[in-house]
Amino acid sequence: MGRAFDYVILGGGVAAGYAALEFVRRNGGASSQELCIISDEHFAPYERPALSKGYLLPQDAPRLPAFHTCVGSKDELLTEEWYNEHGIVLVLGTRVISADVRRKTLLTSSGEIISYKTLIVATGARAVKLEEFGVSGSDARNVCYLRNVEDADKLVGVMRSCPGGNAVVVGGGYIGMECAAALVTNNIKVTMVFPEKHCMGRLFTPKIAEFYESYYASRGVTFVKEAAVTSMQISAGKVTAVILGDGRRLPADMVVVGVGARANTGLFDGQLVMENGGIKVNGRMQASDASVYAVGDVAAFPVKLFGGDVRRLEHVDCARRTARHAVAAMLDATGSVGDIDYLPFFYSRVFSLSWQFYGDNAGEAVHFGDLAPPDGGAAAPKFGAYWVRDGRVAGAFLEGGSRQEYEAVASAVRRGAAVADVAELERRGLAFATQA
Ligand code: FAD
Ligand code: NDP
């Protein structure tokens, strides 16, 4: 048995939703057998960032269909009906188990062969498991990862089963920071454990990290830094304590693990060229086989702003924009769509804090604003940093900015604003960008 489509999007996450919208806008909808999305999730594409934020709120937490794509960029809400109305075939709850790039076919877990003329790979990433570090216990009833709605439902259920209890959060990256904040808001006591000297080690400077760690501490979070989890004590299918390398024992009613992600490239190993752990594509998001495009977390693409350096970015804005660009390139009959010119953009929201980052955190970091540890959260903090490389602004971080201020720092990065004197940049701070 089998079906054939002109275009198949493999994966039904953020990038798939934005690709579908772009397809409909450019193509005026899809005729039957034209476009199909295959996803192993049971829902139409949704805005994944909601899972570590609104979804975990103690009250009025949004649930699907409220956060299907593309509401995250204030665009249309693409419900299952939307796909039906626009002639797009959604194949949900179906895993693709093998791909044959030469034959242009995909084999699904239900034994169906789906063939395509053009494929968009949007398989995203998966959570790294503790087992990959030699620690067992991931399948315990109170150990939570967070990648999809199913994970989020488990996390909510476990959190509600131990009000006032102890959570150990393993990992000091995005998941760790956002989940720790959500747990505290749900009246759970949190201890964060991670191997680095400070949280968000790959993005934050020590000074920026110090601010957030102080803020979290003021909300009751305990940090155990430069520490490794070596095992978990399990009783009746539940973790009761997390054991560290130095023998310390952290009692736990629940554990949340956020120790990184790996791009889902396995179906294409040996068939497409890979780089930086992802599928290598050109500026039109086209892989080493011209009938395949890759977008979102799985794509390693050249960033013009960084001199064409090939990067793989695991962030939602990148998924949205690379998806749209791939569809524009794929449907481009006149050759008018050029290479993507992307300004990397990441953000996070925790408690009442909110930050944005643009560009590359490479070069010398120059801080501005009031980075003093918070006074219990009374005043809204505003501070940030520029990264200066070769006399130009390469990256910028801003906490607590207004829309205009975020746009101004983004613009400083985009144009590579010249910095003649670092001390002067430090003195002018945010005004360097806003009064340029
Ligand atoms: P995904 O959205 O992960 O979608 C991939 C899809 O492919 C999934 O539906 C998956 O099930 C499916 N799939 C994979 N393999 C197969 C297969 N073999 N067969 C069928 N289907 C398959 N980024 C930010 O910038 N800001 C944030 O605040 C933020 N918050 C986040 C919060 C959470 C909890 C998570 C997990 C991520 C967050 N991100 C955030 C990152 C952002 O969500 C991702 O970068 C984005 O989802 C990537 O989109 P994607 O479409 O490439 O992958
Ligand atoms: P991250 O890569 O952000 O962070 C993983 C963290 O775990 C790092 O601090 C890492 O340290 C640490 N770590 C690695 N190994 C261990 C270990 N054995 N024990 C304890 N800590 C360890 O990944 P996340 O899991 O936080 O996020 C998963 C995905 O979700 C990413 O793609 C992320 O971009 C995305 N996401 C993005 C959000 C956003 O943009 N706001 C929000 C939520 C998720 P080290 O750096 O030393 O390896």
Side-chain angles (χ1 to χ4, degrees):
M1 81 173 185
R3 280 180 278 184
F5 294 89
D6 289 346
Y7 305 100
V8 169
I9 300 174
L10 169 50
V14 172
Y18 282 79
L21 183 62
E22 189 69 23
F23 188 92
V24 165
R25 297 236 165 109
R26 288 183 180 261
N27 207 47
S31 56
S32 64
Q33 310 306 307
E34 204 171 9
L35 175 62
C36 150
I37 296 176
I38 312 172
S39 176
D40 58 2
E41 292 194 73
H42 293 276
F43 309 96
Y46 57 87
E47 301 285 0
R48 203 165 299 281
L51 298 180
S52 52
K53 303 175 188 67
Y55 208 89
L56 305 181
L57 287 174
Q59 267 130 30
D60 302 324
R63 290 291 179 266
L64 289 172
F67 60 95
H68 280 298
T69 55
C70 299
V71 291
S73 55
K74 301 193 169 45
D75 211 317
E76 272 184 80
L77 176 75
L78 312 189
T79 58
E80 273 192 46
E81 294 71 51
W82 182 90
Y83 292 91
N84 291 336
E85 280 162 18
H86 290 85
I88 298 171
V89 177
L90 276 183
V91 182
L92 299 179
T94 302
R95 187 162 184 75
V96 169
I97 55 172
S98 71
D100 188 327
V101 169
R102 202 172 50 80
R103 290 201 172 86
K104 301 190 180 185
T105 55
L106 306 170
L107 173 64
T108 71
S109 48
S110 59
E112 182 178 11
I113 290 177
I114 295 184
S115 56
Y116 59 81
K117 290 182 185 151
T118 303
L119 177 68
I120 299 184
V121 183
T123 43
R126 65 167 180 83
V128 172
K129 291 287 171 81
L130 280 178
E131 279 68 9
E132 294 169 55
F133 299 103
V135 177
S136 56
S138 283
D139 50 3
R141 290 207 307 279
N142 57 347
V143 172
C144 305
Y145 288 82
L146 187 53
R147 186 73 212 177
N148 54 36
V149 167
E150 208 179 305
D151 296 337
D153 286 339
K154 177 175 175 182
L155 178 46
V156 169
V158 172
M159 195 163 68
R160 291 195 178 145
S161 73
C162 59
N166 292 308
V168 174
V169 172
V170 185
Y174 290 95
I175 292 283
M177 293 302 278
E178 293 187 4
C179 288
L183 288 162
V184 166
T185 308
N186 281 274
N187 195 30
I188 308 269
K189 296 188 236 4
V190 175
T191 302
M192 291 186 72
V193 183
F194 50 82
E196 305 114 311
K197 285 196 165 60
H198 62 74
C199 67
M200 296 288 293
R202 289 186 214 160
L203 180 64
F204 288 1
T205 64
K207 265 188 169 176
I208 293 175
E210 193 187 341
F211 171 88
Y212 290 99
E213 288 178 10
S214 305
Y215 191 97
Y216 274 55
S218 76
R219 306 295 297 255
V221 174
T222 304
F223 286 87
V224 181
K225 302 190 260 186
E226 298 182 84
V229 172
T230 50
S231 65
M232 294 195 281
Q233 245 168 36
I234 298 181
S235 169
K238 286 173 106 175
V239 171
T240 52
V242 170
I243 313 298
L244 306 184
D246 60 6
R248 266 181 291 179
R249 182 180 176 281
L250 307 173
D253 298 300
M254 64 181 292
V255 177
V256 177
V257 185
V259 293
R262 297 265 183 281
N264 293 319
T265 57
L267 293 170
F268 301 97
D269 283 344
Q271 302 193 73
L272 298 173
V273 174
M274 302 285 166
E275 194 165 324
N276 294 347
I279 296 172
K280 186 179 182 185
V281 293
N282 61 20
R284 289 164 62 89
M285 310 310 295
Q286 208 164 17
S288 51
D289 183 294
S291 63
V292 181
Y293 292 75
V295 295
D297 283 5
V298 84
F301 66 101
V303 178
K304 271 191 193 174
L305 207 62
F306 305 160
D309 241 24
V310 173
R311 302 282 173 106
R312 199 173 62 74
L313 303 166
E314 294 172 354
H315 293 278
V316 74
D317 180 67
C318 176
R320 294 169 180 160
R321 287 179 196 266
T322 54
R324 289 187 146 161
H325 195 80
V327 171
M330 183 178 89
L331 298 178
D332 174 28
T334 58
S336 61
V337 175
D339 290 344
I340 193 165
D341 187 6
Y342 183 59
L343 170 63
F345 162 53
F346 322 148
Y347 71 90
S348 185
R349 291 193 300 273
V350 287
F351 298 115
S352 56
L353 303 173
S354 174
W355 59 256
Q356 298 191 7
F357 170 82
Y358 296 89
D360 207 6
N361 59 333
E364 182 185 355
V366 180
H367 297 90
F368 60 82
D370 186 6
L371 276 129
D375 55 3
K382 188 179 290 188
F383 63 85
Y386 300 104
W387 279 261
V388 181
R389 184 178 48 194
D390 301 331
R392 295 194 172 274
V393 173
F397 175 96
L398 177 59
E399 163 65 49
S402 64
R403 189 169 59 80
Q404 290 84 348
E405 288 164 340
Y406 285 124
E407 280 170 9
V409 294
S411 159
V413 177
R414 160 68 73 195
R415 64 179 192 280
V419 177
D421 179 359
V422 166
E424 173 68 2
L425 174 67
E426 192 167 17
R427 193 190 60 72
R428 291 194 66 202
L430 188 52
F432 173 84
T434 55
Q435 294 167 18

